[in-house]
Amino acid sequence: EVLLRMHSVGICGSDVHYWQHGRIGDFVVKDPMVLGHEASGTVVKVGSGVTHLKPGDRVAIEPGVPREMDEFCKTGRYNLSPTIFFCATPPDDGNLCRYYKHSASYCYKLPDNVTFEEGALIEPLSVGIHACKRAGVTLGSKVFVSGSGPIGLVNVLVAKMMGAAAVVITDLSASRLQKAKEVGADFTIQVKNETPQEVASKVESLLGCMPEITVECTGVQACIQAGIYATRSGGTLVLVGLGPEMVTVPIVNAAVREVDIRGIFRYCNTWPVAIALLASKRINVKPLVTHRFPLEKALEAFETTKRGEGVKVMLKCDPSDHSP
């Protein structure tokens, strides 16, 4: 293990949800819990067996650590391990604090040209990398991203990076769609009260064809329905956003058109990829951060996130650091 002095921690919708509702599905907050799982920091101390890190190293933290070498770990899909430790998923504490201890294998050294803030953004970026891989985004893909929150935006970034020829994105908010344009979306659709079929036909008319790939980042029933209707026959719909446990969808429409519906659970094996992309400047996550607060103002930061202002709110845990 390593002891870290924390630096930057992003606030996620799940953090806000636990704070407001005390549960997400079967994960119930029963005792006080530290939030935060999008994080970077500096190594202060290393355990006796740690060789790849030393005090002073700047690292990005992968929050999910398998507790045992089970079948899922053996096949490289350790995110599916049922006993995995995960920061800020009850009962496991997160890393929104000054000092934090974590498994050394899940701390990744940041190159000098990658900032702490970018290091903290690797966590949401990883969701995009994992989702676009599961979706099979490739050279020339036409992609529909549903929802323009932080996760919709990282999917736009990654889809373009992986060779998508055109990406169309939907949201209720004009300002969020503006941000999507900034990070590389080709087309935006501000949804008002269209039916799912109407949304699907708008997607088709903007792209000039139905997209082979849809990445659904809201979890809203109507959006999942639109995702099925929009996806080209033989294409893939990846469900990233999580909403109610039971959702009514036109499953027969998907079945008879051979639309593959895939889920994702967090990510695996994405930190080295993300660090390589950030270090080579192939991907720019900096525009995602719109607000910064010191740790003392955590409540204000959470309330800003809850109101849906900005995109990514970042907390600064190191009082001695005055970088932007």
Side-chain angles (χ1 to χ4, degrees), residues 87-300:
C87 293
T89 293
D92 304 334
D93 280 323
N95 45 28
L96 181 49
C97 46
R98 297 255 189 248
Y99 289 91
Y100 174 72
K101 181 169 104 276
H102 200 68
S103 163
S105 308
Y106 293 81
C107 295
Y108 300 82
K109 194 170 176 344
L110 291 173
D112 293 343
N113 69 340
V114 177
T115 66
F116 281 116
E117 209 158 79
E118 289 175 299
L121 288 164
I122 291 174
E123 197 279 343
L125 181 60
S126 286
V127 178
I129 294 170
H130 192 58
C132 287
K133 276 188 179 168
R134 294 265 299 153
V137 179
T138 187
L139 215 53
S141 298
K142 305 282 203 313
V143 180
F144 166 31
V145 175
S146 167
S148 188
I151 296 301
L153 297 175
V154 294
N155 274 286
V156 171
L157 280 169
V158 175
K160 295 292 284 195
M161 180 73 250
M162 287 171 77
V167 177
V168 60
I169 188 165
T170 51
D171 202 272
L172 298 169
S173 154
S175 61
R176 289 201 153 183
L177 291 172
Q178 186 48 47
K179 191 55 116 173
K181 271 263 193 259
E182 271 174 56
V183 303
D186 298 280
F187 307 103
T188 61
I189 299 170
Q190 188 174 2
V191 179
K192 297 203 162 67
N193 43 21
E194 293 88 346
T195 65
Q197 288 98 328
E198 285 166 347
V199 171
S201 74
K202 281 193 171 183
V203 168
E204 182 179 7
S205 64
L206 282 173
L207 288 173
C209 61
M210 294 170 83
E212 303 99 324
I213 289 161
T214 299
V215 184
E216 208 300 299
C217 303
T218 71
V220 174
Q221 177 170 290
C223 300
I224 301 172
Q225 293 171 354
I228 289 176
Y229 292 130
T231 309
R232 183 187 306 182
S233 297
T236 305
L237 166 64
V238 174
L239 301 176
V240 183
L242 301 176
E245 188 184 355
M246 288 293 175
V247 179
T248 303
V249 293
I251 201 79
V252 175
N253 176 292
V256 299
R257 297 194 302 108
E258 295 192 7
V259 171
D260 292 348
I261 300 176
R262 298 189 142 197
I264 67 155
F265 188 59
R266 301 170 180 159
Y267 33 66
C268 58
N269 307 303
T270 55
W271 259 252
V273 176
I275 289 169
L277 289 171
L278 292 168
S280 62
K281 302 291 179 222
R282 297 284 287 148
I283 208 158
N284 181 15
V285 289
K286 290 189 174 105
L288 298 177
V289 182
T290 52
H291 295 70
R292 295 172 180 88
F293 292 90
L295 188 55
E296 298 72 36
K297 294 194 174 163
L299 184 59
E300 205 180 313

Side-chain angles (χ1 to χ4, degrees), residues 6-83:
M6 300 306 296
H7 190 287
S8 295
V9 181
I11 299 178
C12 171
S14 71
D15 293 320
V16 174
H17 200 89
Y18 282 125
W19 168 50
Q20 288 293 301
H21 303 282
R23 70 179 298 158
I24 294 177
D26 296 336
F27 297 107
V28 182
V29 181
K30 295 188 171 120
D31 298 297
M33 179 180 80
V34 179
L35 291 168
H37 58 266
E38 308 178 359
S40 63
T42 306
V43 176
V44 181
K45 264 187 179 162
V46 300
S48 53
V50 177
T51 53
H52 73 289
L53 293 172
K54 61 184 189 305
D57 283 349
R58 302 159 59 253
V59 298
I61 302 168
E62 178 170 1
V65 181
R67 286 188 170 97
E68 54 188 304
M69 176 55 74
D70 59 16
E71 293 307 310
F72 295 105
C73 293
K74 288 177 191 170
T75 55
R77 300 181 74 176
Y78 58 85
N79 57 314
L80 302 178
S81 177
T83 59

